Amino acid sequence: MAKIVQMTPQLANLIAAGEVVERPGSVVKELVENAVDAEARHIIVEIKSGGVAYIRVTDDGTGILPEDVRTAFLRHATSKLYTEKQLAAIGTLGFRGEALSSIASVSKMDVFTRTKHYDAGIQISLEAGDESYFGDTGCPVGTTVVVRELFYNVPARAKFLKKDVTEAAYAETAVIQAAMAHPEVAFHFIRDGRETFRTSGDGKLLNVLRVYCSTETADRLRAVTGSFGEISLEGYVSPPDVNRANRNFQNFFINGRPVRSHLLTAAAEAAYKGRMTVGRNPLCFIALRIPPAAVDVNVHPAKLEVKFSREKDIFSAIYYAVQSSLEAGERISALRHGTPLPHEDHVTEEQQKLPKETVYTCRETYASTLAPVAEGGGGIPYSTKRDAEVPPPAAEKMPAYVAPILDHIGMNVKLGSYTPKEGQLSASEEVVCASMKQTAKEEIPPVSAPAEKNRSSFPFAAIPEVRVLGELFHTYLLAEESGGVWLIDKHAAREKQIYNELTSGTAGTAGQLMLEPLSVTLSPVEKAACLEHRDLLAQAGFEIEDFGAGSILVRQIPMYLQISDVSSVLSDTAQRLLDRKMPDSETLDVLRKSVSCKAAIKAGMESDVRELQKFAGEVLADPAVRNCPHGRPAVAFITKMQLEKLFKRIL
């Protein structure tokens, strides 16, 4: 008996279906593309049970001629490709002729279609690719395709599908991408009897984006237009401060076809270099028009990936167009605010640092608080210049409560016991002393010894042997003890404190109820991941519910978390849920780390000296706070001997 035999048509179709029909979303994508190729202007997509039980795609396109209906379900039957020359310059979304035959082979399928030249339409029904009915029917011009019980005859394929909510999200994503690629077509998406997405078909991409990523986000996007030889592009990108931890909101279209390409992504993100924190990703929606002969779309069964004949030109077109848009936005911002917003380059996500604020000295801070003086009075008795240029304050005219304050901020003076009599101080000095005296009464403990011998008591110290000297770059806390110097990363240490409290339950993992629920916009897949793991989010303090139209409603958030950080935490968590297969306990731990990171004080933030002293005492007294939850060091100690070796005092 011969070992090599030819596959039966049914077996060949099942194998082809494995490439083309991966999930219900793949069916929706193929049928929507057929509708667009048929010049439809209104497309309605309805699914039930994630698309496994029911998919219906209705369009008002040209329809299928009666004599072509049966042929359309033969493998490699197409109306879009006739010659080899056409294969080199494909201008339609579909061309392989595999979609209908592949879908029919793994489902129960009904098609209703009519062209404008016929008064009656045609209905054809198939089960597992075999025709069960063919005849006339009443229907409007266009085509309606109904797919039922997807994968009913290949249960091995069905068991790899995800939950209904996730599969529905993939189907909705296919419709959204088609709507962005063809804003001139009106799309209507219905899931389990509920409308979740609708566009007007007015040809304006920005109106589609308002539906997809919320009006607030869409209105902040910046228009992008450009050309490079025969390549032209248009679309929208986000300003640098509007970004995501993932690339779910990056969409590229080549001649009306949604595609995935590392080249396009790299070109857009290269324009943000130096403008956006490393590890964050911009939002971009860019449509390119390229001569069909310059792009090969026949490299992927689902036609998602493409190849370019002139990659350098494609890269340059996107890079310079996006860069020009960002520079224009920066010029507008500079005119509006007087100076561009600060930004920081070369900062990794693991370092978890925010852009630094302007660095100023403690002396300048102190001087600025004393600037207002009585009318007619002179300035404060010293300036904010360098020490070499500043004469020390006159000790003989200084009240007793002033010295500890000046000594603490670096004004080295000796404590005087002289109390000035009325009329001995100038008007400005009277104002300064009155202000200091009030501050001393309210905030400063009594001073019983010279400041040099009792500085650890100002304002107070959780650990008497340690005194806070100040901050470095508004990021690192500097504290002295007899044996050396402590350096504390404010953000990392506070992050670990919050994480320890969340995991131990001392702060309570139950969240804080919001006075007004917050609507958060996510991509369909992110939204599905959050809803699917709603119980897990509840353990971390979130209470969420479906809000329709790509949004979820947040009624409760974890302790410590700010409202402004809710969207990014949920988006980052959803991406981890999608990308990684980890136990719920590990996912919950990752979520708590994310909450801790967002809630912790950020590098670059200014802190009050009393807060620093208290914070240093808590950190150094807790041996569990030595690293941040991600493993980065939070505390470092430099011994006195190391410093002396550094300055060659000892060998």
Side-chain angles (χ1 to χ4, degrees):
M1 181 178 176
K3 292 184 178 180
I4 301 177
V5 297
Q6 188 175 13
M7 289 183 182
T8 63
Q10 176 64 12
L11 180 58
N13 282 336
L14 287 175
I15 294 174
E19 297 178 340
V20 178
V21 187
E22 180 183 1
R23 55 176 14 113
S26 305
V27 174
V28 171
K29 175 182 179 297
E30 295 291 345
L31 297 180
V32 166
E33 288 181 349
N34 284 344
V36 172
D37 283 340
E39 302 176 2
R41 285 297 172 263
H42 295 83
I43 301 175
I44 302 173
V45 180
E46 181 178 3
I47 66 171
K48 296 178 182 178
S49 301
V52 178
Y54 182 86
I55 298 173
R56 177 175 64 88
V57 178
T58 301
D59 68 69
D60 60 353
T62 58
I64 306 174
L65 292 171
E67 58 268 28
D68 289 337
V69 172
R70 282 193 171 104
T71 308
F73 289 90
L74 299 178
R75 194 178 181 197
H76 301 310
T78 178
S79 62
K80 306 165 186 176
L81 193 64
Y82 300 102
T83 66
E84 294 179 0
K85 185 177 181 180
Q86 289 177 310
L87 182 61
I90 296 173
T92 56
L93 298 180
F95 58 89
R96 291 172 177 265
E98 291 181 299
L100 289 179
S101 62
S102 297
I103 296 169
S105 67
V106 292
S107 68
K108 298 177 181 179
M109 192 172 186
D110 298 290
V111 177
F112 308 85
T113 184
R114 181 168 77 89
T115 65
K116 63 181 180 180
H117 304 292
Y118 290 82
D119 295 331
I122 295 294
Q123 175 186 350
I124 184 172
S125 300
L126 305 98
E127 292 188 15
D130 296 328
E131 181 182 314
S132 59
Y133 177 82
F134 183 89
D136 294 344
T137 188
C139 64
V141 174
T143 302
T144 296
V145 180
V146 178
V147 178
R148 294 174 286 110
E149 299 181 43
L150 186 64
F151 299 135
Y152 82 99
N153 57 337
V154 278
R157 183 78 53 79
K159 72 178 183 181
F160 288 100
L161 295 178
K162 299 183 182 297
K163 293 183 179 180
D164 289 352
V165 64
T166 303
E167 293 300 338
Y170 283 110
E172 184 175 0
T173 298
V175 176
I176 291 172
Q177 289 182 333
M180 290 188 290
H182 301 277
E184 74 282 359
V185 180
F187 285 87
H188 186 192
F189 184 77
I190 304 170
R191 188 183 73 193
D192 296 322
R194 180 182 178 184
E195 177 186 293
T196 62
F197 183 80
R198 177 191 285 269
T199 63
S200 62
D202 60 1
K204 297 179 180 179
L205 174 59
L206 190 60
N207 287 339
V208 179
L209 298 181
R210 287 192 174 103
V211 178
Y212 175 42
C213 56
S214 81
T215 301
E216 294 77 10
T217 301
D219 288 344
R220 293 204 61 192
L221 299 177
R222 297 173 179 171
V224 175
T225 58
S227 60
F228 197 92
E230 297 179 324
I231 303 167
S232 63
L233 64 89
E234 61 182 1
Y236 294 89
V237 297
S238 66
D241 61 315
V242 178
N243 53 66
R244 301 287 292 248
N246 52 61
R247 297 186 173 94
N248 288 342
F249 280 82
Q250 291 187 5
N251 293 269
F252 299 93
F253 312 96
I254 303 294
N255 299 337
R257 182 192 307 278
V259 299
R260 296 188 305 232
S261 170
H262 295 298
L263 174 70
L264 306 183
T265 299
E269 293 184 352
Y272 284 85
K273 186 176 182 181
R275 294 181 169 93
M276 183 178 293
T277 302
V278 175
R280 305 298 295 182
N281 302 285
L283 286 67
C284 52
F285 311 89
I286 299 177
L288 293 94
R289 289 290 171 184
I290 303 173
V295 55
D296 183 6
V297 300
N298 191 28
V299 296
H300 191 277
K303 304 182 292 292
L304 290 174
E305 298 177 3
V306 296
K307 287 186 177 180
F308 304 101
S309 61
R310 295 179 296 177
E311 292 187 347
K312 185 176 180 181
D313 291 350
I314 299 292
F315 186 98
S316 298
I318 296 177
Y319 174 79
Y320 288 115
V322 174
Q323 187 181 59
S324 297
S325 176
L326 296 177
E327 289 175 349
E330 289 169 353
R331 287 193 293 269
I332 293 174
S333 177
L335 292 174
R336 184 177 301 167
H337 301 97
T339 180
L341 295 174
H343 60 269
E344 186 172 343
D345 195 6
H346 306 303
V347 181
T348 64
E349 182 181 9
E350 287 74 18
Q351 289 176 308
Q352 306 157 44
K353 295 182 180 179
L354 293 186
K356 300 173 184 175
E357 302 292 340
T358 304
V359 177
Y360 50 90
T361 66
C362 188
R363 182 193 301 272
E364 291 170 336
T365 305
Y366 173 73
S368 65
T369 62
L370 304 180
V373 295
E375 287 189 26
I380 57 178
Y382 52 89
S383 68
T384 60
K385 298 180 181 179
R386 298 181 62 86
D387 291 355
E389 304 171 6
V390 182
E396 66 276 6
K397 295 181 66 177
M398 185 178 300
Y401 54 78
V402 175
I405 301 174
L406 300 182
D407 188 47
H408 180 75
I409 66 170
M411 298 294 292
N412 296 318
V413 297
K414 294 182 179 180
L415 179 65
S417 60
Y418 174 76
T419 301
K421 296 180 180 180
E422 183 177 357
Q424 288 186 325
L425 297 180
S426 66
S428 62
E429 290 169 340
E430 289 281 5
V431 173
V432 171
C433 289
S435 174
M436 289 181 170
K437 188 172 184 179
Q438 183 64 26
T439 301
K441 290 180 179 179
E442 296 176 354
E443 302 177 356
I444 304 175
V447 179
S448 58
E452 289 83 349
K453 298 180 181 180
N454 196 34
R455 289 183 65 170
S456 64
S457 65
F458 177 83
F460 62 88
I463 301 178
E465 294 79 11
V466 176
R467 65 186 179 96
V468 172
L469 302 177
E471 288 183 87
L472 301 176
F473 314 116
H474 288 286
T475 302
Y476 306 102
L477 185 59
L478 192 64
E480 176 191 2
E481 69 170 54
S482 58
V485 176
W486 289 98
L487 286 170
I488 304 173
D489 186 323
K490 289 195 303 183
H491 172 76
R494 182 55 183 155
E495 182 182 357
K496 186 59 177 289
Q497 283 184 328
I498 295 174
Y499 174 78
N500 290 344
E501 292 171 357
L502 290 176
T503 53
S504 65
T506 56
T509 54
Q512 48 187 332
L513 285 172
M514 305 180 66
L515 293 177
E516 293 185 4
L518 176 67
S519 175
V520 176
T521 300
L522 302 170
S523 71
V525 178
E526 290 174 342
K527 175 183 173 181
C530 288
L531 293 176
E532 184 178 341
H533 296 84
R534 192 179 311 186
D535 294 342
L536 186 65
L537 291 173
Q539 295 181 49
F542 284 102
E543 182 181 325
I544 65 172
E545 62 184 61
D546 191 352
F547 199 47
S551 300
I552 60 175
L553 197 65
V554 182
R555 297 189 177 276
Q556 178 178 285
I557 61 177
M559 296 294 293
Y560 299 110
L561 190 63
Q562 299 295 320
I563 293 178
S564 58
D565 294 323
V566 172
S567 178
S568 60
V569 169
L570 288 175
S571 175
D572 295 354
T573 302
Q575 192 60 40
R576 289 189 174 96
L577 292 170
L578 292 167
D579 293 344
R580 302 178 183 178
K581 303 297 181 183
M582 59 178 66
D584 285 352
S585 58
E586 187 175 347
T587 302
L588 180 60
D589 185 66
V590 170
L591 179 55
R592 285 171 174 162
K593 289 178 180 178
S594 180
V595 171
S596 303
C597 180
K598 294 293 184 182
I601 184 173
K602 304 299 188 296
M605 287 185 176
E606 181 183 4
S607 301
D608 181 78
V609 65
R610 295 177 300 277
E611 295 175 353
L612 295 179
Q613 184 71 56
K614 181 175 182 293
F615 179 63
E618 292 175 348
V619 170
L620 297 179
D622 187 356
V625 182
R626 290 298 177 264
N627 298 83
C628 80
H630 304 88
R632 191 163 56 87
V635 177
F637 183 70
I638 303 176
T639 66
K640 182 179 179 182
M641 180 175 294
Q642 288 176 313
L643 289 173
E644 290 178 338
K645 286 184 177 181
L646 177 65
F647 290 99
K648 307 300 183 184
R649 287 181 174 270
I650 61 175
L651 299 177

